[in-house]
Amino acid sequence: MGSPDLSVWLIAVYALIMLAAGWAVDVLGSRSARHSMSWRHADFMYHDDVDGWRCHEDQWLWPTAFDPDKRVIRYEGAHAICGRCPSKDSCSPTPGPREITRPVDPWPYSDAGRFHRGVGLVIACVGVFIPMLLMVAFHATGDLIVKLLRVLEHGRNPDAEMSGALARSGWDRVRTPVAWSTMTWTRMGGCGQPALEESTDSAVACSFVPRADDGFELFCSLASTDDVDGPVRARALDLARDLGRTTAQMHHHLAASLGTSRPPTPTELAASLRKRARWALEEVPELSGHIPALELKVERALARLEALDALEPATRIHGDYHLGQVLHEIGGQQRWYVLDFEGEPLRPLAQRSDPDLPARDVAGMLRSFDYAAAVGKAPHPDWLGAVRTAFEEGYQQGRQEIGPEEAAQTGSQDQSPTASHTAEQAEAARQTVLTCLEPDKALYEAVYQARKRPDWPRLPMAGIESVLSKHAEG
């Protein structure tokens, strides 16, 4: 690939000009506001310690009212004093006393400030995205896809951060980020606090998977055309097993790249899950009527969780893991690709970046198979159990394929709470955790479905009943 021609350099210069123009709009707007306020408050000095204005005649204007619509405080001088003031005609030609207003909000948060900053951000965004489009046009690695991040909060966006970490670790099951843009702004402290400079990711350009099947649509199709002992069932099991191995690899590379941390104690986790279960039962009261002895079954599962000695190390996880977040490559190596590491959209950005138990991702994917079986109308009732088992088998195989040295570096063996126990006991402990996390996910889904899709409530209800009953039988 040759060097970019003159037109590319001209477009790049244009992008820089747009960035400078956006910055200039914000700076000039702020300067204009300061000059306007200085002109209106000529010969008056504000004293923050007494919240009053002192005029050139050594008299005071005190706060009298607050305008909630305009977000300003009104200050007035004493009527008797202003009426006798020698500067009355030039200071306040109206019959009443002199009045001054002071905005409550600092410049960036006032109406005018938000308008000018919004204009500046629009201009700057145009200047940011033009170079990214150029990269799409001239990058040598093939097609790219640019994702604009809708929610902008201070800090790294998990999608950009985790995708980049996984790609740097050498994992080839994630779309490789080749460029990303960041936005920086100044947040005024207020109340005497210093201004803070904040930044976040605003867009990311990743390698594009040209031909791939959506994971959910693929398994819905396999469920609807299931042939029990034929090639369709065999393909579904192979894909589920490979997806399980892919999931184990993802957790290993996340731990290796971003580290591990101390997990919650079994008692702490049980208390958190118990609180969420009560919330779900309050939101969807019919859960108790549909599932006999639901509260008792949940308590029994949590009691087994509390009886564990400890939990496996926490690490960064996907956080919103389901079949709709994976793609299966058509042709080539036919790999699974994992997408969208932003976590649950309704959770604050800071919480989405907290370490968590990898089993939570496993629970989310197992729940997704339930939806694929229901939407695909699997004609054979054993299809769901078969693909769930294949996924779990693949996940365990993926964990076992990690070498001892690599496992030690990520804490998956040396720090394991069951290191001194048998492999069967360790697996039983993981199943206990999973059996608590999967109903927790289903209870959350029940609330979501009741609010958003009231015609789907039986899906999470059936999942809760199935998992808790299986646990009770075991």
Side-chain angles (χ1 to χ4, degrees):
M1 181 183 68
S3 300
D5 58 20
L6 179 61
S7 63
V8 175
W9 291 110
L10 291 176
I11 294 175
V13 171
Y14 173 75
L16 293 175
I17 292 175
M18 294 293 286
L19 289 172
W23 173 80
V25 167
D26 187 65
V27 171
L28 293 177
S30 175
R31 181 175 299 178
S32 175
R34 290 197 301 269
H35 287 175
S36 176
M37 184 175 294
S38 176
W39 178 81
R40 293 197 308 268
H41 299 165
D43 300 328
F44 287 82
M45 179 67 69
Y46 177 71
H47 292 260
D48 183 65
D49 55 338
V50 296
D51 190 21
W53 294 84
R54 188 173 184 177
C55 73
H56 60 285
E57 295 292 343
D58 202 25
Q59 300 298 327
W60 290 87
L61 281 70
W62 303 107
T64 59
F66 170 68
D67 188 336
D69 295 328
K70 297 182 179 180
R71 301 281 299 166
V72 296
I73 300 176
R74 302 186 183 278
Y75 298 77
E76 289 185 357
H79 192 282
I81 295 176
C82 285
R84 299 194 303 268
C85 180
S87 303
K88 167 66 176 175
D89 294 339
S90 60
C91 179
S92 179
T94 61
R98 175 61 189 265
E99 180 182 284
I100 286 180
T101 60
R102 182 177 69 87
V104 175
D105 302 315
W107 157 254
Y109 304 102
S110 65
D111 288 341
R114 286 195 294 267
F115 171 77
H116 285 88
R117 180 147 292 184
V119 173
L121 284 174
V122 169
I123 297 174
C125 284
V126 173
V128 167
F129 297 142
I130 285 179
M132 298 191 74
L133 293 176
L134 286 175
M135 182 167 294
V136 172
F138 290 98
H139 200 276
T141 60
D143 293 333
L144 303 178
I145 183 170
V146 178
K147 178 180 180 180
L148 305 182
L149 304 175
R150 295 174 296 173
V151 180
L152 302 180
E153 297 182 33
H154 174 55
R156 292 300 313 274
N157 184 278
D159 195 17
E161 179 186 11
M162 295 173 69
S163 297
L166 288 170
R168 286 192 298 272
S169 73
W171 197 47
D172 60 358
R173 303 297 182 96
V174 65
R175 297 182 304 188
T176 305
V178 297
W180 53 88
S181 67
T182 59
M183 302 183 71
T184 304
W185 64 91
T186 301
R187 182 184 295 276
M188 302 303 295
C191 300
Q193 297 297 319
L196 300 175
E197 187 174 275
E198 299 183 346
S199 64
T200 189
D201 301 294
S202 58
V204 58
C206 299
S207 57
F208 179 66
V209 183
R211 299 180 65 237
D213 287 318
D214 174 85
F216 186 71
E217 294 179 357
L218 177 58
F219 274 98
C220 285
S221 174
L222 292 170
S224 65
T225 58
D226 180 48
D227 54 4
V228 186
D229 296 323
V232 177
R233 171 68 69 89
R235 182 171 186 242
L237 299 183
D238 288 342
L239 288 172
R241 197 171 290 108
D242 188 41
L243 181 57
R245 284 195 293 268
T246 299
T247 305
Q249 293 170 11
M250 175 183 71
H251 289 150
H252 167 68
H253 283 273
L254 283 173
S257 302
L258 300 174
T260 60
S261 61
R262 185 190 72 83
T265 66
T267 302
E268 291 171 342
L269 178 59
S272 174
L273 298 180
R274 186 176 289 111
K275 181 178 179 181
R276 281 170 57 94
R278 290 171 181 167
W279 162 75
L281 292 173
E282 291 175 358
E283 289 283 330
V284 190
E286 56 266 33
L287 281 171
S288 297
H290 180 82
I291 306 175
L294 173 59
E295 294 89 340
L296 178 60
K297 292 177 180 178
V298 170
E299 279 300 324
R300 286 176 177 172
L302 294 179
R304 295 192 181 189
L305 173 63
E306 290 176 320
L308 297 178
D309 295 332
L311 304 176
E312 290 187 309
T315 185
R316 296 289 293 276
I317 65 172
H318 187 284
D320 190 27
Y321 199 50
H322 53 80
L323 288 171
Q325 303 283 39
V326 294
L327 294 176
H328 188 256
E329 184 180 23
I330 299 175
Q333 300 183 43
Q334 299 187 17
R335 297 169 292 184
W336 283 106
Y337 285 89
V338 183
L339 318 174
D340 297 337
F341 289 83
E342 291 186 79
E344 292 183 348
L346 298 181
R347 297 181 65 189
L349 185 67
Q351 292 184 15
R352 285 184 266 160
S353 299
D354 289 341
D356 204 340
L357 299 177
R360 196 176 293 276
D361 281 343
V362 177
M365 187 58 71
L366 291 175
R367 291 291 312 126
S368 192
F369 284 122
D370 280 36
Y371 284 86
V375 175
K377 296 180 172 60
H380 301 99
D382 67 332
W383 183 89
L384 176 59
V387 294
R388 284 170 56 96
T389 299
F391 175 82
E392 293 188 81
E393 289 175 352
Y395 188 77
Q396 292 306 318
Q397 290 173 8
R399 289 169 59 94
Q400 294 169 4
E401 289 169 0
I402 299 172
E405 295 183 1
E406 290 180 301
Q409 291 174 1
T410 60
S412 59
Q413 285 187 358
D414 290 353
Q415 299 180 37
S416 172
T418 56
S420 60
H421 296 178
T422 65
E424 291 78 8
Q425 290 174 318
E427 176 59 22
R430 281 193 290 270
Q431 286 298 325
T432 298
V433 174
L434 186 60
T435 304
C436 292
L437 291 178
E438 191 176 350
D440 174 72
K441 181 69 172 177
L443 287 169
Y444 170 82
E445 292 168 4
V447 176
Y448 180 86
Q449 305 296 6
R451 292 179 177 180
K452 305 292 185 180
R453 290 180 285 197
D455 55 328
W456 277 31
R458 293 190 61 86
L459 289 177
M461 288 182 184
I464 298 169
E465 187 172 18
S466 174
V467 173
L468 291 178
S469 298
K470 180 181 176 181
H471 185 79
E473 292 171 1

